[in-house]
Amino acid sequence: MNILTQNFNTPYHTPPFENIKNEDYLPAFKELISESEKEIDAIVNNSEEPTFKNTIEALAYSGEKLDVVSNIFFNLNSAETSDELQQIAQEVSPLLTEYSSKISQNEALFNRIKKVYDEKSKYNLNEEQQMLLDETYKGFVRSGALLNDSDKEKLKQINMDLSVKSLQFGQNALAANNAYFKHITNKEDLAGIPDAILEQYAEEAKERNLDGYVVTLQYPSYVPFMTYADNRELRKELALANGKKSFDGGEFDNQNLIKKIISLKQQKAELLGYKNYADYVLEERMAKSPIKVIEFLNELLTKAKPYAQKEIEELKALAKADGIEDMQGYDHSFYAEKLRKAKYDFNDEELKPYFPLNQVQDAVFGLANQLFGLEFKEVNTIQKYHSDVQTYEVYEIQEPRTENQVFDSAQTDNQQPTTDNRQLKAILYTDYFPRKGKRAGAWMTSYKNQFTKDGENSRPHISIVCNFSKPTKDTPSLLTFQEVTTLFHEFGHAIHGMLANTQYPNLSGTSVKWDFVELPSQFLENFCYEPEFLKTFAKHYKTGEVLPNDKIEKIEQSKNFMEGYQTLRQLGFGLLDMAYHTHPKDVNDIKAFEDAQTSKTSLYPVNPETAMSPTFSHIFQGGYSAGYYSYKWAEVLDADAFAYFKETGIFNPETAAKYKVLLSSGGTKDPMELYKNFRGSEPKVESLLKRAFG
């Protein structure tokens, strides 16, 4: 009996990670795809006239078990992968794409959907039902429902090819990242590196059965090296290794895959009647068109570039004092840290003792409690996929608690926890440390969406995955301030998922327009710079000393440090993304194309041996194709939203309650309508410019 095809006999039906074997996946996918197809057949073969309930709603609830198993598999393929799991992914992805194509191109099913859509005026639909109907109909049209049989088959093959090639892109990027390490035996080569980082490098060497120190391209290893290492030649070597990932013509090279991926996307767009893939994508985004996106990015570029150029001149002056006349990109972090220390008299290493991971997590938990009435209880009865993972029950306070009221510690995990004043809101997994089987970066994901069916509100299972420095035998995991903001960012996404309160799973939580999805995450980062909040948790892990006021002032003052440079960097990524998806036929040489598109945002000499496109997983593996601009777009939203909180008080309960409505609504309303209901007006780009540049 395959454990993945049965009802999970676990608390809250959470994934039974400890009992799943790799050989379970492929048979489970085949069986669950077959079951899901039978659900579709039942909708299609229903002898009754198509209605909203027997067609649109039935389709929204179909394939639930397949969705859960897909989430388990692909989440593990990102957070705890192996060669065997990656091989299974190569087999599973085409099966799922074929299944998806079968549904989206099922003519009989679409005819039922179209009939309901055409006759929608006769149904008394509420706002969410209307949104579901509209999104379902548009989704089918955008998936080829109106194509002839020959073109449907072409589209199906394109989608299958894309799924395999995108997966291969990510696997290559991960393998290239893991393949490199620098073994250093002479401690003098590590001059400038703080002791805590040296200890981390020594631990890495020990794990590899080597003497001395090992630096890798993992974020917590690479970034400190580039920031603190005095040895310029070694910084250059590391930067070159990082920039050559999947760009060196070797086994994990992604250049040809990029060409194939963007060609397939263009073919898909043209087949569906669009000029290019960006037009296809942006039709369903707040921005609506490539022209509007490019205008938006160029407007910010015009405003930000003078600030960025001034910042780089300051760094060059520092480098020149060290005898460096030709400052390069691999010098940036090193001299930026020097400048920050000179301007604000602190560096990340000085701050790290005040930000042990457990305290930062407690702070974000406390913030979620203060703003949204959420409580977190760690439990050990929910199965985990790795020993680093921690699991929590998340409760929502239903009414004010008295100061001395406590939770019932006798509550068992198999019960649906509910008392007079709290209800289970979500299950949360946290996974914070890098390892060989985990891809780089940080992300939030879910194992199960929230939805309401037959009167039961089924709660979501949410996961946060990061790559922070591991604790050592002498110190806990200590975060840089940037890592603090990263945790708040991902937790903002998690809150969006945990507060979900909709009827249909495909409109729940983070299932919103892609250029709206970063609002909750970027919004939460703002609290990291608020003194009254910082003082509640920024405490030295040894002495308990609260972060001194002068350091807090420096953090505030440094909030926009190198903001011009960082803005140009993000704009460069956004413009490159749009270029790939509006002019794919111009891509003959990956390096030449990248350099041409980022020339307006490049502030350092271009190295002919490096390129970032071959590891640009956001657009070639993830969901940000023709959508990377969303980060900057959402910055306008988050700056404007937090300005409102500042006006009313950052912990104002009425403002928080209105924002909670926005978060809990998911994709049930147009995002601009949701935003205006919260803020009272459309977001203003001036809010971002004022925050960034004064």
Side-chain angles (χ1 to χ4, degrees):
M1 186 175 289
N2 192 320
I3 191 170
L4 288 171
T5 60
Q6 310 305 309
N7 289 325
F8 298 158
N9 185 25
T10 53
Y12 318 119
H13 307 297
T14 48
F17 292 116
E18 295 163 15
N19 306 111
I20 299 172
K21 299 180 179 65
N22 283 346
E23 55 265 30
D24 293 331
Y25 285 113
L26 193 55
F29 274 111
K30 289 178 178 178
E31 182 176 336
L32 293 173
I33 286 172
S34 177
E35 284 184 13
S36 299
E37 287 175 339
K38 289 174 184 174
E39 292 180 57
I40 301 301
D41 290 342
I43 297 171
V44 169
N45 297 324
N46 191 329
S47 58
E48 298 178 3
E49 279 290 297
T51 66
F52 179 83
K53 186 173 182 62
N54 72 21
T55 301
I56 307 301
E57 197 169 83
L59 181 61
Y61 287 128
S62 68
E64 178 190 344
K65 187 69 175 175
L66 178 59
D67 287 343
V68 168
V69 173
S70 295
N71 288 341
I72 292 171
F73 177 77
F74 286 104
N75 284 338
L76 290 185
N77 196 38
S78 290
E80 185 60 13
T81 194
S82 64
D83 291 344
E84 186 178 0
L85 216 58
Q86 291 184 17
Q87 181 56 47
I88 296 169
Q90 293 285 350
E91 299 179 70
V92 163
S93 291
L95 294 178
L96 290 171
T97 304
E98 184 177 18
Y99 161 73
S100 178
S101 294
K102 274 186 182 178
I103 295 175
S104 61
Q105 297 181 8
N106 186 318
E107 190 171 350
L109 177 61
F110 178 65
N111 287 339
R112 290 183 68 92
I113 292 168
K114 190 174 187 304
K115 184 171 176 59
V116 177
Y117 183 79
D118 290 341
E119 298 176 352
K120 58 185 173 184
S121 59
K122 78 177 189 181
Y123 298 102
N124 186 25
L125 301 180
N126 62 32
E127 195 169 20
E128 182 174 353
Q129 291 170 330
Q130 182 68 59
M131 180 65 79
L132 179 68
L133 176 57
D134 290 346
E135 291 297 305
T136 302
Y137 178 77
K138 281 192 296 182
F140 270 73
V141 171
R142 286 168 57 80
S143 297
L146 297 178
L147 297 178
N148 61 43
D149 289 345
S150 173
D151 285 345
K152 282 180 179 177
E153 189 58 36
K154 288 180 188 175
L155 183 61
K156 175 183 170 182
Q157 190 58 53
I158 287 171
N159 286 334
M160 290 177 68
D161 288 349
L162 269 173
S163 70
V164 172
K165 287 176 170 55
S166 297
L167 191 67
Q168 185 61 54
F169 181 97
Q171 291 176 355
N172 284 348
L174 177 62
N177 198 67
N178 288 338
Y180 177 90
F181 69 91
K182 179 65 177 177
H183 181 207
I184 298 171
T185 54
N186 185 355
K187 191 175 181 180
E188 291 180 6
D189 288 337
L190 296 169
I193 305 286
D195 289 342
I197 303 298
L198 288 177
E199 185 180 358
Q200 177 186 320
Y201 293 162
E203 292 268 349
E204 183 69 33
K206 189 175 179 182
E207 286 184 16
R208 296 171 184 263
N209 296 315
L210 295 171
D211 296 328
Y213 308 88
V214 164
V215 185
T216 72
L217 299 180
Q218 297 282 1
Y219 184 93
S221 181
Y222 175 77
V223 172
F225 190 91
M226 300 303 294
T227 303
Y228 299 111
D230 292 337
N231 190 320
R232 191 182 186 216
E233 284 305 308
L234 278 179
R235 292 204 311 271
K236 179 180 178 180
E237 182 180 334
L238 264 289
L240 191 62
N242 194 55
K244 290 173 71 172
K245 289 184 302 189
S246 299
F247 181 61
D248 57 2
E251 179 184 0
F252 307 124
D253 194 289
N254 271 334
Q255 294 176 82
N256 286 331
L257 267 178
I258 290 174
K259 294 177 187 178
K260 290 174 184 175
I261 288 169
I262 60 171
S263 174
L264 286 166
K265 288 177 180 175
Q266 179 66 18
Q267 291 173 47
K268 177 175 180 173
E270 290 177 358
L271 202 56
L272 291 167
Y274 297 87
K275 181 180 177 182
N276 53 54
Y277 192 74
D279 277 321
Y280 168 73
V281 168
L282 290 165
E283 181 183 63
E284 285 297 291
R285 303 287 163 87
M286 291 179 77
K288 301 302 182 188
S289 74
I291 291 174
K292 188 166 183 179
V293 169
I294 292 168
E295 286 176 349
F296 168 73
L297 295 174
N298 281 326
E299 179 186 1
L300 288 180
L301 176 60
T302 301
K303 298 282 175 56
K305 192 163 186 176
Y307 291 95
Q309 290 170 327
K310 184 179 177 183
E311 291 164 359
I312 299 306
E313 287 306 313
E314 285 189 275
L315 298 188
K316 285 182 176 178
L318 282 179
K320 191 170 184 179
D322 286 348
I324 297 174
E325 298 288 344
D326 59 336
M327 188 174 173
Q328 302 292 321
Y330 54 80
D331 296 313
H332 177 86
S333 295
F334 182 77
Y335 284 102
E337 186 60 28
K338 276 194 169 187
L339 182 61
R340 180 163 63 171
K341 186 163 178 59
K343 276 191 167 186
Y344 308 113
D345 193 30
F346 78 88
N347 61 42
D348 267 341
E349 289 307 308
E350 293 172 5
L351 293 181
K352 281 172 70 173
Y354 294 91
F355 295 117
L357 174 57
N358 65 311
Q359 287 175 199
V360 178
Q361 179 178 269
D362 287 347
V364 80
F365 283 0
L367 182 61
N369 175 265
Q370 188 162 3
L371 293 177
F372 309 119
L374 298 180
E375 293 273 3
F376 299 81
K377 174 188 173 187
E378 185 173 5
V379 291
N380 294 312
T381 51
I382 293 174
Q383 292 191 28
K384 306 169 183 181
Y385 57 86
H386 191 276
S387 58
D388 286 347
V389 176
Q390 293 175 289
T391 50
Y392 299 84
E393 295 168 347
V394 184
Y395 299 96
E396 182 179 34
I397 308 303
Q398 299 298 304
E399 58 187 52
R401 291 191 298 135
T402 63
E403 189 173 342
N404 297 321
Q405 192 171 359
V406 295
F407 293 150
D408 177 10
S409 60
Q411 177 70 56
T412 66
D413 288 342
N414 284 307
Q415 295 173 295
Q416 180 74 9
T418 177
T419 69
D420 290 340
N421 67 351
R422 65 179 184 139
Q423 289 182 345
L424 183 80
K425 200 67 176 172
I427 299 300
L428 174 66
Y429 299 82
T430 61
D431 179 2
Y432 290 134
F433 306 122
R435 52 184 176 267
K436 186 179 178 183
K438 182 193 285 190
R439 68 175 171 89
W443 62 95
M444 166 268 176
T445 186
S446 64
Y447 287 95
K448 186 182 85 65
N449 282 346
Q450 175 271 338
F451 59 89
T452 304
K453 187 178 181 183
D454 300 328
E456 180 186 348
N457 195 323
S458 183
R459 301 312 305 167
H461 302 161
I462 305 295
S463 178
I464 295 175
V465 189
C466 301
N467 280 278
F468 300 143
S469 298
K470 289 182 179 180
T472 68
K473 58 180 173 45
D474 297 323
T475 59
S477 175
L478 301 176
L479 305 189
T480 65
F481 188 73
Q482 184 176 357
E483 288 174 328
V484 173
T485 61
T486 294
L487 180 53
F488 274 71
H489 180 103
E490 300 309 332
F491 202 80
H493 283 309
I495 289 174
H496 200 185
M498 291 186 287
L499 288 177
N501 192 31
T502 64
Q503 185 167 356
Y504 305 112
N506 47 343
L507 297 177
S508 178
T510 58
S511 299
V512 298
K513 302 295 185 190
W514 208 267
D515 45 9
F516 190 65
V517 77
E518 294 296 334
L519 165 61
S521 55
Q522 294 177 182
F523 167 82
L524 212 66
E525 291 182 44
N526 288 282
F527 285 90
C528 299
Y529 296 92
E530 292 299 314
E532 63 178 300
F533 179 58
L534 264 177
K535 288 179 181 179
T536 65
F537 72 94
K539 299 175 182 178
H540 198 287
Y541 78 99
K542 284 183 178 178
T543 66
E545 176 200 17
V546 176
L547 187 64
N549 285 332
D550 63 320
K551 298 292 187 194
I552 292 177
E553 288 174 15
K554 298 297 185 186
I555 287 175
E556 279 191 281
Q557 293 167 6
S558 69
K559 180 179 181 181
N560 296 326
F561 179 66
M562 289 288 145
E563 181 67 27
Y565 170 81
Q566 293 297 340
T567 296
L568 254 65
R569 186 170 179 269
Q570 289 296 307
L571 294 176
F573 293 160
L575 290 166
L576 177 61
D577 168 38
M578 292 306 298
Y580 272 123
H581 295 104
T582 53
H583 297 95
K585 292 170 184 175
D586 295 343
V587 184
N588 299 308
D589 179 295
I590 298 297
K591 174 64 173 173
F593 186 82
E594 177 181 311
D595 288 351
Q597 301 307 322
T598 58
S599 60
K600 291 189 295 184
T601 61
S602 295
L603 297 165
Y604 290 110
V606 174
N607 189 319
E609 296 183 66
T610 65
M612 61 81 57
S613 294
T615 54
F616 201 174
S617 296
H618 276 76
I619 69 170
F620 296 122
Q621 181 193 9
Y624 281 86
S625 302
Y628 197 88
Y629 75 92
S630 301
Y631 285 103
K632 277 296 166 191
W633 185 275
E635 275 191 47
V636 173
L637 298 176
D638 94 71
D640 194 65
F642 198 70
Y644 185 37
F645 269 76
K646 294 275 280 187
E647 290 166 14
T648 60
I650 62 171
F651 300 116
N652 182 281
E654 287 79 18
T655 308
K658 287 200 289 184
Y659 187 61
K660 187 176 181 180
V661 171
L662 178 151
L663 295 175
S664 63
S665 299
T668 60
K669 295 183 180 181
D670 178 83
M672 189 59 79
E673 180 187 346
L674 274 177
Y675 190 85
K676 287 193 291 185
N677 288 344
F678 154 68
R679 183 67 162 101
S681 61
E682 291 192 3
K684 304 174 184 68
V685 71
E686 289 77 20
S687 298
L688 174 60
L689 295 172
K690 181 179 178 182
R691 183 179 71 182
F693 305 117

